[in-house]
C-alpha cells in the first residue's frame, strides 16, 4: 500500500493518527507516523491536508523548527497551512517570526481568515508591538472579519498589552455582540495594566448584562479585589461562585484563597483551603503568602509547610520565598536554617528570587556572615541581591563593606536603583562616612538620573547633620523639590543641640511647632539645647511651654 500517493482514505487515516497523537500527547508515536510518510515508496510529498496536520502536530509539542521544515517543503499552501504556521510561532513565544510569516503570507496573495488574524494579533501582543497591532487591525477592517468576535477579542488583547487602554475600550464598545471571551479579554487586560477598579466595574457591567461568568472571569475579578483590598467585593464574588457551581474548580478556589489572604481575611482563606478535597501548590502558596503578611500567623505558616511537606506536595521557590520572608520578619533563624538545608537538597540552583530571600532572611536575623556566604554562593545576582547585602552591611555597622560592595556591583555592570542608594546612604550615615555618602547622593542624580525621594533627602540631611555640616544640611532642606517633613526638621534640631548651633536650632524648632504644635518631644529637645548653651531663661520659658503642651494628656504608666 502506498502511504503518500495511495487512496485518499490512507492520507485521512494518517491524519487521524496524528490527531490522536496530539490528543494523547504521544510525541514519539507521532514522529513515527511522520517517518513512515517520509520512507513511503514515492518521491512525492504528502498531500496538503496531511502536511498541514504535521505542522499542527509539531506546533503542539513546541518543535517549531520541525513544523517550519514541513511547511517549507509544501509545494502548495492553503490559508489553513499559513494559519497553522503563524499560530505555531505565536503560541511558542516567537512573536517576531509569526509577524514576519504573516507579512510573507500577505505578499504571496493568500487571504487570511479570522484565525490567521487572531494569531497575528496575539503575536503583536506578545511582541508588545503597537504598530504591528494597528496594521493587523487595519487588515481585519478591510476584510470581512472586522466583526468577528475571535478577531476582536485578540485585537483588544493586543491594544491592552501594548498599553492602549483607550483603543481596547473603543473596540469593545463597537462590538455588536460580546461573548464571555470578549469580556474576559478586557477584564484581564485591565487587571494586567493595574486598572483594578475599572476591571471590577466591567465585571459588574457583565453581570448586569446577564452574561454568565466563567472561571477565567472569576480569576481576574478576584485578582482585582485582592489588589485593592476590597473584602466586601471578594465576598460578593464568592457568592456568585457558589451559585454557579465553580467552587470545585481548583483555579477558582486558589484565586479565592489568594483574594481573601490579600484582604487580610486569613480565617476565611483557611476555611476555604481546609474545605478543598485536595490542596495544590497554588492554593498552599496563596495561603502561606497571606500568612507572611501578618506576624501573628507565622506559626500557622510553618505548620502548614510541614503538613504539605509530609503529604509529599511539590514545593517551589515562590512558596519557599514566602516562608523565608516570614523567618526574616520574626527573626526565626532556626526555621530559616532548616529551610536553607531543604533548599540545598531539593531546589535547583539559580533561582535569584529565592536566593535573595535567603540573604534577606539571614541579614534580618543578624547573621551577617551567613548572609554574606549565601550571597557569595549565588550563581546569578541582580540589583535586589546586591541591595539586600548592602542593606545588611548598613544595619550591622559595616559601612566600609557597603561601599566596597557597591563598587563591586558597578564593576559587575549591575545598575543600582533608588532602593540601592537609600541603603547605601543609610550605611554611610550610620558609619560616619559623610563625604562618601554625599558623593553617592550626587552621583545618584548626575550619573544614574534617579530623582531623590523624601527618604533620600532625609538620609542625606542626616549624613550632613551627623557630620556637623549644619549649614549644608539646612541648605539641602530649603532646596528640596518636595515639602520637608517633621523628621527632617527634627534631625536638624537634634544635631543643633549636639553641636550648639542655637540660631539654626530655633529655626528648625519653629518649623516643627507649626507642623506639630502638640509634640512635647520637640519642646524638650529645644529646652535642653538652651540649657547646654547656658541660656537659662530661654530654657525655663521652653519648659513652661512643654508643661502646658503636656497638660491634660493621659499619663503613661509602666507595666513593670
Amino acid at each position: 500500500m502506498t502511504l503518500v500517493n495511495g487512496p485518499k482514505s490512507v492520507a485521512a487515516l494518517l491524519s487521524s493518527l496524528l490527531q490522536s497523537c496530539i490528543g494523547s500527547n504521544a510525541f514519539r508515536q507521532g514522529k513515527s507516523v511522520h517517518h513512515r510518510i517520509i520512507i513511503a515508496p514515492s518521491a512525492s510529498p504528502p498531500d496538503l491536508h496531511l502536511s498541514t496536520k504535521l505542522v499542527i502536530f509539531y506546533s503542539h509539542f513546541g518543535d517549531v523548527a520541525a513544523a517550519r521544515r514541513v511547511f517549507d517543503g509544501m509545494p502548495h499552501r492553503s490559508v489553513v497551512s499559513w494559519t497553522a504556521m503563524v499560530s505555531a510561532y505565536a503560541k511558542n513565544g516567537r512573536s517576531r517570526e509569526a509577524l514576519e510569516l504573516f507579512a510573507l503570507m500577505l505578499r504571496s496573495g493568500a487571504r487570511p481568515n479570522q484565525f490567521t488574524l487572531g494569531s497575528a494579533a496575539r503575536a503583536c501582543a506578545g511582541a508588545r508591538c503597537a504598530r504591528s497591532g494597528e496594521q493587523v487591525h487595519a487588515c481585519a477592517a478591510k476584510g470581512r472579519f472586522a466583526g468577528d468576535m475571535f478577531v476582536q477579542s485578540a485585537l483588544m488583547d493586543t491594544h491592552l498589552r501594548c498599553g492602549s487602554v483607550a483603543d481596547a475600550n473603543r473596540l469593545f464598545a463597537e462590538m455588536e455582540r460580546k461573548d464571555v471571551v470578549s469580556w474576559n479579554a478586557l477584564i484581564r487586560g485591565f487587571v494586567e495594566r493595574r486598572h483594578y477598579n475599572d476591571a471590577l466595574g466591567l465585571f459588574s457591567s457583565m453581570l448586569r448584562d446577564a452574561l454568565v461568568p466563567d472561571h477565567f472571569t472569576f480569576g481576574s475579578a478576584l485578582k482585582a479585589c485582592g489588589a485593592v483590598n476590597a473584602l466586601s467585593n471578594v465576598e460578593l464574588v464568592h457568592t456568585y461562585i457558589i451559585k454557579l457551581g465553580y467552587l470545585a474548580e481548583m483555579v477558582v478556589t486558589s484565586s479565592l484563597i489568594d483574594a481573601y489572604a490579600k484582604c487580610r481575611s486569613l480565617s476565611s482563606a483557611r476555611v476555604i483551603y481546609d474545605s478543598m478535597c485536595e490542596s495544590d501548590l497554588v492554593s498552599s502558596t496563596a495561603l502561606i503568602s497571606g500568612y507572611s503578611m501578618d506576624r501573628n500567623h507565622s506559626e500557622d505558616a510553618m505548620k502548614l509547610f510541614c503538613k504539605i511537606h509530609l503529604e509529599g506536595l511539590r514545593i517551589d521557590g515562590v512558596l519557599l520565598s514566602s516562608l523565608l520572608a516570614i523567618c526574616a520578619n520574626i527573626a526565626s533563624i532556626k526555621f530559616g536554617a532548616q529551610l536553607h538545608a531543604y533548599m540545598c537538597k531539593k531546589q535547583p540552583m539559580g533561582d535569584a528570587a529565592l536566593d535573595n530571600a535567603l540573604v534577606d532572611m539571614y541579614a534580618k536575623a543578624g547573621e551577617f556572615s551567613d548572609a554574606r556566604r549565601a550571597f557569595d554562593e549565588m550563581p546569578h545576582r541582580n540589583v535586589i541581591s546586591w541591595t539586600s547585602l548592602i542593606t545588611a552591611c548598613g544595619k550591622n555597622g559595616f559601612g566600609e563593606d557597603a561601599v566596597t560592595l557597591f563598587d563591586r556591583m558597578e564593576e559587575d555592570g549591575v545598575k543600582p536603583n533608588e532602593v540601592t542608594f537609600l541603603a547605601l546612604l543609610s550605611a554611610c550615615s550610620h558609619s560616619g562616612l559623610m563625604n562618601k555618602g554625599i558623593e553617592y547622593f550626587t552621583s545618584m542624580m548626575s550619573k544614574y538620573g534617579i530623582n531623590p525621594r523624601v527618604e533620600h533627602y532625609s538620609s542625606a540631611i542626616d549624613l550632613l547633620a551627623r557630620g556637623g555640616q549644619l549649614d549644608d544640611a539646612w541648605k539641602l532642606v530649603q532646596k528640596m523639590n518636595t515639602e520637608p517633613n517633621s523628621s527632617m526638621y527634627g534631625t536638624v534640631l537634634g544635631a543643633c543641640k549636639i553641636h550648639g548651633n542655637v540660631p539654626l536650632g530655633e529655626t528648625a524648632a519653629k518649623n516643627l511647632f507649626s507642623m506639630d504644635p502638640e509634640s512635647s518631644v520637640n519642646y524638650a529637645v529645644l529646652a535642653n539645647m538652651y540649657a547646654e548653651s547656658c541660656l537659662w531663661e530661654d530654657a525655663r520659658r521652653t519648659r513652661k511651654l512643654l508643661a502646658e503642651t503636656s497638660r491634660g494628656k493621659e499619663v503613661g504608666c509602666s507595666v513593670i
Side-chain angles (χ1 to χ4, degrees):
M1 180 178 66
T2 302
L3 289 176
V4 177
N5 284 339
K8 287 185 178 180
S9 58
V10 175
L13 175 63
L14 292 170
S15 180
S16 179
L17 280 172
L18 286 170
Q19 186 58 49
S20 296
C21 293
I22 292 170
S24 56
N25 283 321
F27 182 62
R28 189 171 57 82
Q29 289 85 343
K31 283 194 73 174
S32 177
V33 173
H34 188 190
H35 180 68
R36 292 198 64 183
I37 294 170
I38 293 169
I39 64 169
S42 170
S44 302
D47 68 15
L48 181 61
H49 179 72
L50 187 54
S51 295
T52 303
K53 184 62 73 174
L54 280 167
V55 172
I56 294 169
F57 166 78
Y58 282 116
S59 166
H60 175 76
F61 290 99
D63 194 346
V64 183
R68 185 61 191 258
R69 283 194 296 271
V70 173
F71 180 82
D72 288 341
M74 295 173 68
H76 306 288
R77 302 181 184 108
S78 67
V79 63
V80 180
S81 315
W82 285 100
T83 301
M85 196 63 231
V86 171
S87 177
Y89 280 130
K91 283 195 302 185
N92 288 282
R94 296 168 67 168
S95 302
R96 293 288 175 188
E97 289 158 293
L99 294 174
E100 287 169 6
L101 189 68
F102 179 68
L104 181 64
M105 174 186 179
L106 296 177
R107 287 197 298 272
S108 73
R111 299 179 64 180
N113 62 18
Q114 68 269 43
F115 302 111
T116 328
L117 291 166
S119 295
R122 297 201 191 286
C124 297
R128 300 294 195 273
C129 185
R131 187 177 177 186
S132 296
E134 290 166 359
Q135 291 171 338
V136 173
H137 196 164
C139 187
K142 288 177 185 176
R144 57 191 177 90
F145 300 109
D148 184 86
M149 283 193 295
F150 178 77
V151 176
Q152 288 174 320
S153 295
L155 287 169
M156 214 160 41
D157 187 57
T158 301
H159 289 314
L160 286 163
R161 289 181 184 271
C162 294
S164 182
V165 176
D167 285 339
N169 246 335
R170 187 164 48 251
L171 182 59
F172 184 76
E174 290 171 358
M175 292 175 68
E176 292 181 9
R177 291 187 303 117
K178 302 178 180 77
D179 62 359
V180 177
V181 175
S182 314
W183 286 92
N184 284 351
L186 193 58
I187 293 171
R188 185 187 68 245
F190 277 141
V191 171
E192 288 175 353
R193 300 295 301 174
R194 299 186 180 180
H195 294 253
Y196 301 119
N197 288 319
D198 290 332
L200 292 173
L202 200 62
F203 177 69
S204 298
S205 298
M206 180 181 180
L207 296 176
R208 283 196 299 271
D209 282 7
L211 209 66
V212 179
D214 63 9
H215 58 284
F216 294 113
T217 326
F218 286 127
S220 296
L222 287 167
K223 190 172 183 179
C225 292
V228 298
N229 290 319
L231 180 58
S232 59
N233 286 349
V234 176
E235 291 168 344
L236 185 63
V237 175
H238 190 179
T239 304
Y240 277 107
I241 289 169
I242 294 170
K243 284 181 179 178
L244 295 173
Y246 279 104
L247 204 55
E249 290 274 356
M250 192 82 80
V251 65
V252 175
T253 310
S254 298
S255 298
L256 199 52
I257 292 168
D258 184 59
Y260 273 124
K262 284 178 178 171
C263 293
R264 304 299 177 93
S265 182
L266 293 168
S267 57
S268 298
R270 186 59 193 250
V271 166
I272 296 167
Y273 181 85
D274 289 339
S275 69
M276 295 176 70
C277 296
E278 185 179 346
S279 57
D280 66 342
L281 178 64
V282 178
S283 57
S284 301
T285 302
L287 186 55
I288 287 176
S289 297
Y291 284 150
S292 70
M293 294 185 284
D294 190 334
R295 292 170 62 93
N296 295 324
H297 287 277
S298 301
E299 191 175 340
D300 293 326
M302 293 173 185
K303 286 179 179 177
L304 182 59
F305 171 73
C306 294
K307 175 179 175 290
I308 62 177
H309 177 51
L310 288 172
E311 289 174 354
L313 196 68
R314 187 177 68 86
I315 294 165
D316 68 356
V318 178
L319 189 146
L320 287 169
S321 295
S322 295
L323 286 163
L324 287 170
I326 291 169
C327 295
N329 290 336
I330 63 172
S332 175
I333 188 63
K334 183 180 178 181
F335 191 68
Q338 290 174 339
L339 288 172
H340 188 183
Y342 178 87
M343 286 165 54
C344 293
K345 291 178 182 177
K346 302 287 185 179
Q347 284 296 119
M349 296 288 286
D351 186 335
L354 182 56
D355 291 338
N356 290 340
L358 185 65
V359 172
D360 187 57
M361 184 275 296
Y362 277 126
K364 286 181 177 174
E367 302 291 335
F368 181 74
S369 59
D370 288 326
R372 185 62 186 259
R373 190 178 302 112
F375 176 84
D376 290 337
E377 291 173 356
M378 290 176 68
H380 308 290
R381 303 183 188 101
N382 56 23
V383 64
I384 299 172
S385 319
W386 291 96
T387 301
S388 294
L389 198 60
I390 290 171
T391 302
C393 287
K395 288 183 176 178
N396 286 276
F398 304 129
E400 294 285 357
D401 288 342
V403 169
T404 304
L405 270 173
F406 183 75
D407 292 341
R408 276 183 57 198
M409 177 183 175
E410 288 189 306
E411 288 170 8
D412 278 12
V414 179
K415 185 179 178 181
N417 60 22
E418 54 187 25
V419 182
T420 314
F421 280 106
L422 195 58
L424 195 58
L425 289 169
S426 178
C428 290
S429 178
H430 289 94
S431 301
L433 304 173
M434 185 192 71
N435 292 332
K436 201 69 180 173
I438 295 303
E439 179 188 318
Y440 288 134
F441 181 72
T442 305
S443 71
M444 176 180 77
M445 296 177 279
S446 60
K447 185 177 179 180
Y448 292 101
I450 298 172
N451 293 321
R453 299 198 321 243
V454 171
E455 295 87 350
H456 296 105
Y457 279 115
S458 290
S459 291
I461 291 164
D462 185 57
L463 262 170
L464 292 166
R466 283 172 184 261
Q469 303 295 318
L470 298 176
D471 290 336
D472 290 336
W474 187 247
K475 285 176 185 174
L476 188 57
V477 170
Q478 291 177 309
K479 74 174 189 179
M480 281 173 55
N481 54 13
T482 58
E483 194 68 29
N485 58 29
S486 59
S487 174
M488 296 173 187
Y489 288 125
T491 298
V492 174
L493 176 58
C496 287
K497 172 186 170 293
I498 293 169
H499 295 283
N501 190 330
V502 175
L504 184 56
E506 288 176 329
T507 305
K510 191 181 295 183
N511 283 280
L512 279 168
F513 297 154
S514 65
M515 295 177 76
D516 191 3
E518 295 185 358
S519 175
S520 57
V521 174
N522 300 325
Y523 289 100
V525 175
L526 182 61
N528 290 338
M529 182 184 72
Y530 282 138
E532 289 177 13
S533 300
C534 299
L535 299 170
W536 307 114
E537 183 57 31
D538 291 325
R540 187 192 63 77
R541 178 170 42 82
T542 307
R543 286 200 176 101
K544 184 180 178 183
L545 288 170
L546 170 61
E548 290 173 358
T549 303
S550 303
R551 192 177 299 136
K553 289 190 177 181
E554 185 179 343
V555 179
C557 54
S558 173
V559 294
I560 299 173

